[in-house]
């Protein structure tokens, strides 16, 4: 048989082509970052390299797989974390502020069978999740004020949106990993300018309050320090009156000749035997 094939090169070439076609229809390579559905006459026969939490890389079942030629098809589904961007939408908050909001979500397909059965392709799933994300965002922000988005409560808002989105995503075999608002802007014009003015006024009032509180605390601290200094002076006077007199004279000279800023430049004309200068005379 092989002699006959080698004597006729055309038969050999046709045989090789047929063999390659059969092999291409019998073997498939599933990458590490893909899940695969083996389809027989359009129905799911089995899954390969399906996502499992905390699985070890290289031991997930990816690689070469066998299938029935001309009968089994293969559908690849991404195993990585994917993203979906919501188109910029206008949302009305409870304080009647119209916001222009950009948001995105990250998700992973954890149940490829459910995903294929419910919506078929990843592109359709992303479109569906973007629609649900917009609806969840409008519902949640519609219960909040604009100031909420600028406060620590924003984290709770994101959590609520993620829970609502995840509940819907599970119906399509997906799991939401994260939801974030990229931007939340007021519309340009009078509305934005009025918001800036309100925020500026609020910050100025807060600064005045903080400054007044600081001055009050400074006065209390200064009063306590003066009292403590007076007590120490009184104690030192009782223990060593001569040293106390010398120390107070040095303080007085510094205040007199240097001034409050220790810059100097003060000119005083006194008699050499003036009592105030006795420390300079060794008295």
């Amino acid at each position: 048989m092989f002699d006959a094939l080698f004597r006729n090169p055309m038969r050999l070439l046709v045989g090789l082509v047929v063999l390659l076609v059969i092999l291409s229809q019998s073997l498939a390579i599933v990458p590490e970052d893909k899940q695969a559905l083996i389809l027989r006459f359009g129905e799911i026969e089995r899954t390969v390299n399906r996502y499992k939490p905390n699985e070890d890389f290289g031991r997930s079942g990816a690689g070469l797989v066998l299938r029935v030629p001309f009968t089994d098809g293969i559908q690849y589904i991404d195993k990585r974390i994917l993203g979906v961007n919501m188109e910029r939408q206008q949302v009305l908050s409870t304080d009647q502020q119209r916001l222009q909001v950009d948001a995105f979500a990250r998700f992973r397909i954890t149940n490829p069978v459910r995903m294929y059965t419910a919506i078929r392709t990843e592109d359709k799933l992303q479109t569906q999740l973007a629609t649900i994300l917009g609806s969840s965002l409008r519902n949640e922000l519609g219960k909040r004020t604009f100031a909420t988005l600028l406060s620590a409560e924003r984290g709770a808002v994101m959590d609520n949106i993620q829970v609502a989105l995840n509940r819907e995503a599970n119906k399509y075999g997906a799991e939401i990993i994260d939801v974030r608002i990229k931007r939340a802007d007021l519309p340009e014009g009078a509305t934005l300018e009025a918001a800036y003015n309100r925020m500026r006024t609020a910050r100025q009032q807060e600064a005045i309050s903080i400054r007044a509180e600081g001055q009050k605390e400074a006065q209390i601290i200064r009063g306590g320090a003066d009292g403590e200094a007076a007590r120490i002076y009184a104690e030192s006077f009782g223990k060593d009156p001569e040293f106390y007199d010398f120390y107070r004279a040095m303080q007085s000279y510094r205040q007199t000749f240097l001034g409050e800023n220790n810059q100097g430049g003060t000119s005083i004309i006194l008699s050499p035997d003036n009592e105030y200068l006795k420390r300079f005379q060794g008295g």
Side-chain angles (χ1 to χ4, degrees):
M1 173 181 169
F2 290 105
D3 291 340
L5 287 175
F6 284 111
R7 284 195 298 270
N8 191 335
M10 285 302 297
R11 291 184 178 179
L12 177 60
L13 181 60
V14 171
L16 288 175
V17 171
V18 172
L19 180 61
L20 289 175
V21 171
I22 293 175
L23 287 177
S24 66
Q25 292 294 318
S26 304
L27 300 175
I29 297 176
V30 179
E32 190 71 37
D33 59 350
K34 297 288 185 182
Q35 307 175 79
L37 297 177
I38 306 300
L39 306 175
R40 181 166 297 171
F41 301 115
E43 299 295 329
I44 299 173
E45 176 67 16
R46 67 181 191 277
T47 61
V48 179
N49 195 31
R50 180 172 175 171
Y51 168 77
K52 296 176 183 175
N54 303 320
E55 65 182 356
D56 294 331
F57 184 80
R59 298 182 178 179
S60 57
L64 198 63
V65 297
L66 291 173
R67 55 179 175 159
V68 178
F70 308 109
T71 302
D72 291 349
I74 186 166
Q75 174 74 33
Y76 294 106
I77 297 174
D78 213 310
K79 196 176 182 181
R80 301 169 297 177
I81 295 177
L82 306 174
V84 55
N85 288 300
M86 185 193 75
E87 292 186 3
R88 191 175 178 84
Q89 294 190 12
Q90 182 169 279
V91 177
L92 183 63
S93 61
T94 55
D95 50 355
Q96 301 304 308
Q97 298 286 352
R98 296 185 182 276
L99 308 177
Q100 301 290 338
V101 179
D102 282 345
F104 72 94
R106 296 188 302 159
F107 70 99
R108 173 188 280 130
I109 299 171
T110 56
N111 191 331
V113 175
R114 185 182 300 171
M115 192 283 281
Y116 182 79
T117 304
I119 205 164
R120 295 294 181 185
T121 66
E122 297 168 19
D123 291 339
K124 291 181 179 178
L125 175 61
Q126 287 182 312
T127 302
Q128 184 68 12
L129 290 180
T131 303
I132 299 173
L133 174 60
S135 175
S136 301
L137 201 68
R138 285 193 299 273
N139 290 338
E140 188 62 30
L141 297 185
K143 305 174 186 174
R144 314 279 178 170
T145 62
F146 174 68
T148 300
L149 299 178
L150 306 177
S151 67
E153 195 178 347
R154 176 171 176 161
V157 174
M158 293 296 97
D159 291 341
N160 291 341
I161 294 173
Q162 181 172 342
V163 170
L165 182 59
N166 201 36
R167 187 165 47 245
E168 296 298 322
N170 285 335
K171 299 177 182 177
Y172 300 97
E175 175 189 23
I176 302 301
I177 307 297
D178 194 15
V179 177
R180 286 288 180 270
I181 292 178
K182 291 190 291 186
R183 296 189 61 176
D185 300 330
L186 289 168
E188 297 287 345
T191 303
L192 182 60
E193 188 63 28
Y196 281 153
N197 289 335
R198 284 198 300 271
M199 294 170 66
R200 187 181 299 112
T201 302
R203 294 298 178 268
Q204 289 173 345
Q205 291 175 346
E206 185 179 2
I208 292 172
S209 175
I210 293 173
R211 191 177 298 112
E213 186 66 23
Q215 290 175 348
K216 176 183 175 182
E217 292 183 3
Q219 289 178 350
I220 293 174
I221 294 172
R222 191 179 298 113
D226 291 343
E228 182 67 12
R231 186 185 63 79
I232 293 174
Y233 291 154
E235 290 180 358
S236 64
F237 177 75
K239 292 179 181 178
D240 190 343
E242 185 177 354
F243 175 76
Y244 178 79
D245 182 61
F246 171 77
Y247 178 74
R248 296 292 292 174
M250 293 298 104
Q251 285 187 314
S252 175
Y253 292 152
R254 186 173 63 185
Q255 292 290 330
T256 301
F257 297 118
L258 294 182
E260 294 182 355
N261 298 324
N262 291 334
Q263 298 295 323
T266 302
S267 298
I268 300 176
I269 299 175
L270 297 172
S271 171
D273 56 351
N274 186 280
E275 182 68 17
Y276 185 65
L277 302 178
K278 66 179 181 180
R279 293 297 176 186
F280 290 102
Q281 298 169 348

